[in-house]
Amino acid sequence: MASEGVHESDDVSDETDDHRPAPEPQGDAVAAAVAAGPSNGESVRVDSWIWSVRLVKTRSMGAAACKGGHVRVNGERVKPAHSVRVGDEVRLRHEGRERIVVVKRVIRKRVGPPVAAECYVDNSPPPPPRETVAPAGVRDRGTGRPTKRDRRELERLRDLPAAGTSGEAPDPHRQAHGTARRTTRRGTQR
């Protein structure tokens, strides 16, 4: 039986061989944030920090926002080189919206969105609701050029004046007979 190579202890060791817990994604995010952080004693510029936590798209946009007075740290307008510490309140006016964040972790390198979200507490007011307007006059692709009738219906839906109307008083002859008068060099014709 020993020649078969199957022992009870082998079965047990196969089941308990992988006793390590699976790595948690949150633990990976914390490790990435720690790796992106400054070395001991180093500080991080505010323009670099707001770029690192993805509040702005580029560092130069962060610097321009600071220079324009759109960034405040603890209520004071700051220059791009102002250092950020844990616990600071950073207010950023960007793209028509004010973001209010409290610094939880100081990082220097840009990280992914899940990791960046763990580096601050977002106290921003909710964004204003988008206006839900039904798209008026959206045509299917490949239907070709709209006819005059289609164009007039689109203008009516959009509440635009028709292309040929200029707001003048309508011609009484045209209203009565349904025909238009043309003026040529020889005079008025039908």
Side-chain angles (χ1 to χ4, degrees):
M1 294 204 183
S3 63
E4 291 179 18
V6 177
H7 294 92
E8 290 180 22
S9 62
D10 288 342
D11 293 338
V12 173
S13 66
D14 289 340
E15 292 173 6
T16 59
D17 196 24
D18 190 20
H19 61 279
R20 292 172 286 166
E24 296 178 18
Q26 186 177 13
D28 292 341
V30 171
V34 169
S39 302
N40 293 336
E42 288 186 27
S43 62
V44 176
R45 297 168 50 116
V46 68
D47 62 340
S48 177
W49 187 81
I50 63 176
W51 166 75
S52 300
V53 296
R54 297 178 169 266
L55 295 177
V56 292
K57 289 185 180 180
T58 64
R59 182 173 168 185
S60 59
M61 285 176 77
C66 292
K67 289 176 185 174
H70 301 293
V71 178
R72 293 177 180 263
V73 176
N74 297 327
E76 297 180 13
R77 286 185 176 179
V78 294
K79 294 181 178 180
H82 183 82
S83 60
V84 177
R85 295 181 194 90
V86 174
D88 285 348
E89 180 188 66
V90 178
R91 290 177 175 256
L92 168 70
R93 276 187 293 136
H94 183 62
E95 295 178 351
R97 179 175 175 211
E98 184 173 23
R99 301 288 306 265
I100 303 168
V101 296
V102 177
V103 180
K104 274 178 40 178
R105 177 172 283 123
V106 179
I107 59 173
R108 187 175 358 104
K109 296 178 183 175
R110 190 168 172 99
V111 292
V115 179
E118 293 183 2
C119 295
Y120 60 86
V121 177
D122 195 356
N123 295 332
S124 305
R130 291 186 176 183
E131 295 178 15
T132 55
V133 178
V138 176
R139 294 177 51 85
D140 293 331
R141 189 177 174 114
T143 57
R145 183 175 173 178
T147 62
K148 186 182 259 187
R149 181 179 180 183
D150 292 340
R151 183 179 49 79
R152 287 185 177 155
E153 287 177 1
L154 291 174
E155 288 170 352
R156 184 178 48 79
L157 287 173
R158 292 179 183 159
D159 292 331
L160 297 174
T165 62
S166 60
E168 299 174 2
D171 186 12
H173 178 78
R174 186 173 188 176
Q175 285 181 345
H177 302 289
T179 59
R181 290 187 172 187
R182 293 187 316 206
T183 304
T184 62
R185 280 192 241 163
R186 295 184 187 165
T188 304
Q189 296 180 344
R190 277 197 179 173

PDB file of all heavy atoms in Angstrom, residues 24-50:
ATOM      1  N   GLU A  24      -6.966  41.912   0.075  1.00  0.00           N
ATOM      2  CA  GLU A  24      -8.137  42.764  -0.078  1.00  0.00           C
ATOM      3  C   GLU A  24      -7.793  43.921  -1.009  1.00  0.00           C
ATOM      4  O   GLU A  24      -6.690  44.448  -0.960  1.00  0.00           O
ATOM      5  CB  GLU A  24      -8.556  43.324   1.283  1.00  0.00           C
ATOM      6  CG  GLU A  24      -8.992  42.259   2.254  1.00  0.00           C
ATOM      7  CD  GLU A  24      -9.341  42.861   3.602  1.00  0.00           C
ATOM      8  OE1 GLU A  24      -9.559  44.078   3.668  1.00  0.00           O
ATOM      9  OE2 GLU A  24      -9.391  42.112   4.571  1.00  0.00           O
ATOM     10  N   PRO A  25      -8.733  44.337  -1.856  1.00  0.00           N
ATOM     11  CA  PRO A  25      -8.451  45.447  -2.749  1.00  0.00           C
ATOM     12  C   PRO A  25      -8.192  46.731  -1.974  1.00  0.00           C
ATOM     13  O   PRO A  25      -7.408  47.559  -2.360  1.00  0.00           O
ATOM     14  CB  PRO A  25      -9.703  45.583  -3.594  1.00  0.00           C
ATOM     15  CG  PRO A  25     -10.616  44.481  -3.225  1.00  0.00           C
ATOM     16  CD  PRO A  25     -10.021  43.744  -2.091  1.00  0.00           C
ATOM     17  N   GLN A  26      -8.846  46.885  -0.824  1.00  0.00           N
ATOM     18  CA  GLN A  26      -8.648  48.086  -0.033  1.00  0.00           C
ATOM     19  C   GLN A  26      -7.223  48.129   0.498  1.00  0.00           C
ATOM     20  O   GLN A  26      -6.602  49.182   0.535  1.00  0.00           O
ATOM     21  CB  GLN A  26      -9.653  48.132   1.108  1.00  0.00           C
ATOM     22  CG  GLN A  26      -9.597  49.427   1.886  1.00  0.00           C
ATOM     23  CD  GLN A  26     -10.647  49.472   2.967  1.00  0.00           C
ATOM     24  OE1 GLN A  26     -11.244  48.460   3.293  1.00  0.00           O
ATOM     25  NE2 GLN A  26     -10.862  50.637   3.524  1.00  0.00           N
ATOM     26  N   GLY A  27      -6.685  47.000   0.899  1.00  0.00           N
ATOM     27  CA  GLY A  27      -5.307  46.938   1.375  1.00  0.00           C
ATOM     28  C   GLY A  27      -4.331  47.319   0.279  1.00  0.00           C
ATOM     29  O   GLY A  27      -3.335  47.989   0.528  1.00  0.00           O
ATOM     30  N   ASP A  28      -4.603  46.900  -0.949  1.00  0.00           N
ATOM     31  CA  ASP A  28      -3.768  47.279  -2.083  1.00  0.00           C
ATOM     32  C   ASP A  28      -3.831  48.778  -2.316  1.00  0.00           C
ATOM     33  O   ASP A  28      -2.831  49.405  -2.635  1.00  0.00           O
ATOM     34  CB  ASP A  28      -4.200  46.534  -3.349  1.00  0.00           C
ATOM     35  CG  ASP A  28      -3.924  45.039  -3.265  1.00  0.00           C
ATOM     36  OD1 ASP A  28      -3.094  44.641  -2.414  1.00  0.00           O
ATOM     37  OD2 ASP A  28      -4.536  44.281  -4.039  1.00  0.00           O
ATOM     38  N   ALA A  29      -5.024  49.357  -2.149  1.00  0.00           N
ATOM     39  CA  ALA A  29      -5.190  50.793  -2.366  1.00  0.00           C
ATOM     40  C   ALA A  29      -4.407  51.582  -1.325  1.00  0.00           C
ATOM     41  O   ALA A  29      -3.759  52.579  -1.639  1.00  0.00           O
ATOM     42  CB  ALA A  29      -6.670  51.169  -2.317  1.00  0.00           C
ATOM     43  N   VAL A  30      -4.457  51.127  -0.088  1.00  0.00           N
ATOM     44  CA  VAL A  30      -3.712  51.802   0.971  1.00  0.00           C
ATOM     45  C   VAL A  30      -2.218  51.687   0.706  1.00  0.00           C
ATOM     46  O   VAL A  30      -1.468  52.658   0.875  1.00  0.00           O
ATOM     47  CB  VAL A  30      -4.098  51.226   2.355  1.00  0.00           C
ATOM     48  CG1 VAL A  30      -3.189  51.760   3.437  1.00  0.00           C
ATOM     49  CG2 VAL A  30      -5.547  51.530   2.671  1.00  0.00           C
ATOM     50  N   ALA A  31      -1.787  50.514   0.281  1.00  0.00           N
ATOM     51  CA  ALA A  31      -0.369  50.323  -0.022  1.00  0.00           C
ATOM     52  C   ALA A  31       0.070  51.230  -1.168  1.00  0.00           C
ATOM     53  O   ALA A  31       1.156  51.814  -1.127  1.00  0.00           O
ATOM     54  CB  ALA A  31      -0.097  48.865  -0.372  1.00  0.00           C
ATOM     55  N   ALA A  32      -0.781  51.390  -2.172  1.00  0.00           N
ATOM     56  CA  ALA A  32      -0.449  52.272  -3.296  1.00  0.00           C
ATOM     57  C   ALA A  32      -0.392  53.724  -2.849  1.00  0.00           C
ATOM     58  O   ALA A  32       0.481  54.484  -3.291  1.00  0.00           O
ATOM     59  CB  ALA A  32      -1.474  52.107  -4.417  1.00  0.00           C
ATOM     60  N   ALA A  33      -1.297  54.120  -1.962  1.00  0.00           N
ATOM     61  CA  ALA A  33      -1.295  55.502  -1.467  1.00  0.00           C
ATOM     62  C   ALA A  33      -0.060  55.765  -0.619  1.00  0.00           C
ATOM     63  O   ALA A  33       0.539  56.841  -0.697  1.00  0.00           O
ATOM     64  CB  ALA A  33      -2.561  55.785  -0.666  1.00  0.00           C
ATOM     65  N   VAL A  34       0.322  54.789   0.182  1.00  0.00           N
ATOM     66  CA  VAL A  34       1.519  54.954   1.011  1.00  0.00           C
ATOM     67  C   VAL A  34       2.747  55.048   0.118  1.00  0.00           C
ATOM     68  O   VAL A  34       3.649  55.861   0.357  1.00  0.00           O
ATOM     69  CB  VAL A  34       1.644  53.790   2.020  1.00  0.00           C
ATOM     70  CG1 VAL A  34       3.001  53.793   2.695  1.00  0.00           C
ATOM     71  CG2 VAL A  34       0.530  53.871   3.039  1.00  0.00           C
ATOM     72  N   ALA A  35       2.793  54.225  -0.930  1.00  0.00           N
ATOM     73  CA  ALA A  35       3.930  54.259  -1.849  1.00  0.00           C
ATOM     74  C   ALA A  35       3.996  55.584  -2.598  1.00  0.00           C
ATOM     75  O   ALA A  35       5.079  56.070  -2.926  1.00  0.00           O
ATOM     76  CB  ALA A  35       3.843  53.108  -2.843  1.00  0.00           C
ATOM     77  N   ALA A  36       2.832  56.197  -2.873  1.00  0.00           N
ATOM     78  CA  ALA A  36       2.804  57.466  -3.601  1.00  0.00           C
ATOM     79  C   ALA A  36       3.067  58.652  -2.690  1.00  0.00           C
ATOM     80  O   ALA A  36       3.218  59.773  -3.163  1.00  0.00           O
ATOM     81  CB  ALA A  36       1.456  57.645  -4.285  1.00  0.00           C
ATOM     82  N   GLY A  37       3.087  58.415  -1.398  1.00  0.00           N
ATOM     83  CA  GLY A  37       3.286  59.503  -0.442  1.00  0.00           C
ATOM     84  C   GLY A  37       4.723  59.987  -0.405  1.00  0.00           C
ATOM     85  O   GLY A  37       5.635  59.332  -0.905  1.00  0.00           O
ATOM     86  N   PRO A  38       4.935  61.153   0.207  1.00  0.00           N
ATOM     87  CA  PRO A  38       6.294  61.686   0.287  1.00  0.00           C
ATOM     88  C   PRO A  38       7.121  60.931   1.327  1.00  0.00           C
ATOM     89  O   PRO A  38       6.581  60.257   2.205  1.00  0.00           O
ATOM     90  CB  PRO A  38       6.063  63.137   0.717  1.00  0.00           C
ATOM     91  CG  PRO A  38       4.773  63.095   1.466  1.00  0.00           C
ATOM     92  CD  PRO A  38       3.950  62.021   0.802  1.00  0.00           C
ATOM     93  N   SER A  39       8.427  61.076   1.223  1.00  0.00           N
ATOM     94  CA  SER A  39       9.315  60.480   2.225  1.00  0.00           C
ATOM     95  C   SER A  39       9.145  61.243   3.529  1.00  0.00           C
ATOM     96  O   SER A  39       8.516  62.298   3.577  1.00  0.00           O
ATOM     97  CB  SER A  39      10.763  60.571   1.759  1.00  0.00           C
ATOM     98  OG  SER A  39      10.916  59.919   0.519  1.00  0.00           O
ATOM     99  N   ASN A  40       9.712  60.716   4.584  1.00  0.00           N
ATOM    100  CA  ASN A  40       9.587  61.369   5.897  1.00  0.00           C
ATOM    101  C   ASN A  40      10.122  62.785   5.853  1.00  0.00           C
ATOM    102  O   ASN A  40      11.231  63.025   5.383  1.00  0.00           O
ATOM    103  CB  ASN A  40      10.314  60.556   6.967  1.00  0.00           C
ATOM    104  CG  ASN A  40       9.656  59.230   7.209  1.00  0.00           C
ATOM    105  OD1 ASN A  40       8.471  59.070   6.941  1.00  0.00           O
ATOM    106  ND2 ASN A  40      10.424  58.276   7.717  1.00  0.00           N
ATOM    107  N   GLY A  41       9.316  63.720   6.345  1.00  0.00           N
ATOM    108  CA  GLY A  41       9.744  65.101   6.435  1.00  0.00           C
ATOM    109  C   GLY A  41       9.476  65.935   5.193  1.00  0.00           C
ATOM    110  O   GLY A  41       9.592  67.136   5.227  1.00  0.00           O
ATOM    111  N   GLU A  42       9.132  65.306   4.077  1.00  0.00           N
ATOM    112  CA  GLU A  42       8.864  66.065   2.859  1.00  0.00           C
ATOM    113  C   GLU A  42       7.442  66.591   2.876  1.00  0.00           C
ATOM    114  O   GLU A  42       6.543  65.969   3.450  1.00  0.00           O
ATOM    115  CB  GLU A  42       9.062  65.191   1.618  1.00  0.00           C
ATOM    116  CG  GLU A  42      10.493  64.873   1.303  1.00  0.00           C
ATOM    117  CD  GLU A  42      10.619  64.122  -0.006  1.00  0.00           C
ATOM    118  OE1 GLU A  42       9.743  64.290  -0.877  1.00  0.00           O
ATOM    119  OE2 GLU A  42      11.567  63.360  -0.147  1.00  0.00           O
ATOM    120  N   SER A  43       7.247  67.723   2.236  1.00  0.00           N
ATOM    121  CA  SER A  43       5.891  68.266   2.103  1.00  0.00           C
ATOM    122  C   SER A  43       5.454  68.150   0.646  1.00  0.00           C
ATOM    123  O   SER A  43       6.268  67.886  -0.237  1.00  0.00           O
ATOM    124  CB  SER A  43       5.866  69.728   2.553  1.00  0.00           C
ATOM    125  OG  SER A  43       6.718  70.502   1.732  1.00  0.00           O
ATOM    126  N   VAL A  44       4.161  68.357   0.412  1.00  0.00           N
ATOM    127  CA  VAL A  44       3.608  68.244  -0.934  1.00  0.00           C
ATOM    128  C   VAL A  44       2.958  69.566  -1.293  1.00  0.00           C
ATOM    129  O   VAL A  44       2.218  70.141  -0.489  1.00  0.00           O
ATOM    130  CB  VAL A  44       2.585  67.090  -1.010  1.00  0.00           C
ATOM    131  CG1 VAL A  44       1.943  67.029  -2.377  1.00  0.00           C
ATOM    132  CG2 VAL A  44       3.257  65.779  -0.688  1.00  0.00           C
ATOM    133  N   ARG A  45       3.229  70.040  -2.489  1.00  0.00           N
ATOM    134  CA  ARG A  45       2.619  71.269  -2.976  1.00  0.00           C
ATOM    135  C   ARG A  45       1.128  71.065  -3.205  1.00  0.00           C
ATOM    136  O   ARG A  45       0.695  69.976  -3.550  1.00  0.00           O
ATOM    137  CB  ARG A  45       3.268  71.687  -4.296  1.00  0.00           C
ATOM    138  CG  ARG A  45       4.736  72.007  -4.203  1.00  0.00           C
ATOM    139  CD  ARG A  45       5.370  72.117  -5.570  1.00  0.00           C
ATOM    140  NE  ARG A  45       4.656  72.973  -6.477  1.00  0.00           N
ATOM    141  CZ  ARG A  45       5.143  74.112  -6.982  1.00  0.00           C
ATOM    142  NH1 ARG A  45       6.352  74.510  -6.651  1.00  0.00           N
ATOM    143  NH2 ARG A  45       4.422  74.834  -7.812  1.00  0.00           N
ATOM    144  N   VAL A  46       0.346  72.131  -3.032  1.00  0.00           N
ATOM    145  CA  VAL A  46      -1.101  72.013  -3.177  1.00  0.00           C
ATOM    146  C   VAL A  46      -1.480  71.727  -4.629  1.00  0.00           C
ATOM    147  O   VAL A  46      -2.401  70.949  -4.886  1.00  0.00           O
ATOM    148  CB  VAL A  46      -1.829  73.262  -2.624  1.00  0.00           C
ATOM    149  CG1 VAL A  46      -1.562  74.493  -3.457  1.00  0.00           C
ATOM    150  CG2 VAL A  46      -3.318  73.020  -2.535  1.00  0.00           C
ATOM    151  N   ASP A  47      -0.779  72.318  -5.604  1.00  0.00           N
ATOM    152  CA  ASP A  47      -1.118  72.051  -7.007  1.00  0.00           C
ATOM    153  C   ASP A  47      -0.841  70.593  -7.357  1.00  0.00           C
ATOM    154  O   ASP A  47      -1.611  69.947  -8.075  1.00  0.00           O
ATOM    155  CB  ASP A  47      -0.390  72.997  -7.957  1.00  0.00           C
ATOM    156  CG  ASP A  47       1.126  72.877  -7.893  1.00  0.00           C
ATOM    157  OD1 ASP A  47       1.650  72.360  -6.892  1.00  0.00           O
ATOM    158  OD2 ASP A  47       1.779  73.319  -8.858  1.00  0.00           O
ATOM    159  N   SER A  48       0.244  70.047  -6.802  1.00  0.00           N
ATOM    160  CA  SER A  48       0.575  68.645  -7.036  1.00  0.00           C
ATOM    161  C   SER A  48      -0.435  67.731  -6.345  1.00  0.00           C
ATOM    162  O   SER A  48      -0.835  66.697  -6.906  1.00  0.00           O
ATOM    163  CB  SER A  48       1.984  68.366  -6.524  1.00  0.00           C
ATOM    164  OG  SER A  48       2.308  67.023  -6.681  1.00  0.00           O
ATOM    165  N   TRP A  49      -0.876  68.087  -5.145  1.00  0.00           N
ATOM    166  CA  TRP A  49      -1.815  67.234  -4.413  1.00  0.00           C
ATOM    167  C   TRP A  49      -3.175  67.184  -5.086  1.00  0.00           C
ATOM    168  O   TRP A  49      -3.747  66.109  -5.235  1.00  0.00           O
ATOM    169  CB  TRP A  49      -1.950  67.711  -2.968  1.00  0.00           C
ATOM    170  CG  TRP A  49      -2.777  66.766  -2.156  1.00  0.00           C
ATOM    171  CD1 TRP A  49      -2.369  65.606  -1.582  1.00  0.00           C
ATOM    172  CD2 TRP A  49      -4.167  66.884  -1.860  1.00  0.00           C
ATOM    173  NE1 TRP A  49      -3.420  64.988  -0.941  1.00  0.00           N
ATOM    174  CE2 TRP A  49      -4.539  65.765  -1.101  1.00  0.00           C
ATOM    175  CE3 TRP A  49      -5.143  67.834  -2.170  1.00  0.00           C
ATOM    176  CZ2 TRP A  49      -5.839  65.560  -0.646  1.00  0.00           C
ATOM    177  CZ3 TRP A  49      -6.436  67.638  -1.714  1.00  0.00           C
ATOM    178  CH2 TRP A  49      -6.765  66.505  -0.951  1.00  0.00           C
ATOM    179  N   ILE A  50      -3.704  68.344  -5.532  1.00  0.00           N
ATOM    180  CA  ILE A  50      -5.031  68.307  -6.167  1.00  0.00           C
ATOM    181  C   ILE A  50      -4.975  67.579  -7.506  1.00  0.00           C
ATOM    182  O   ILE A  50      -5.964  66.998  -7.941  1.00  0.00           O
ATOM    183  CB  ILE A  50      -5.664  69.720  -6.307  1.00  0.00           C
ATOM    184  CG1 ILE A  50      -4.842  70.624  -7.205  1.00  0.00           C
ATOM    185  CG2 ILE A  50      -5.896  70.337  -4.961  1.00  0.00           C
ATOM    186  CD1 ILE A  50      -5.474  71.984  -7.448  1.00  0.00           C
TER     187      ILE A  50
END
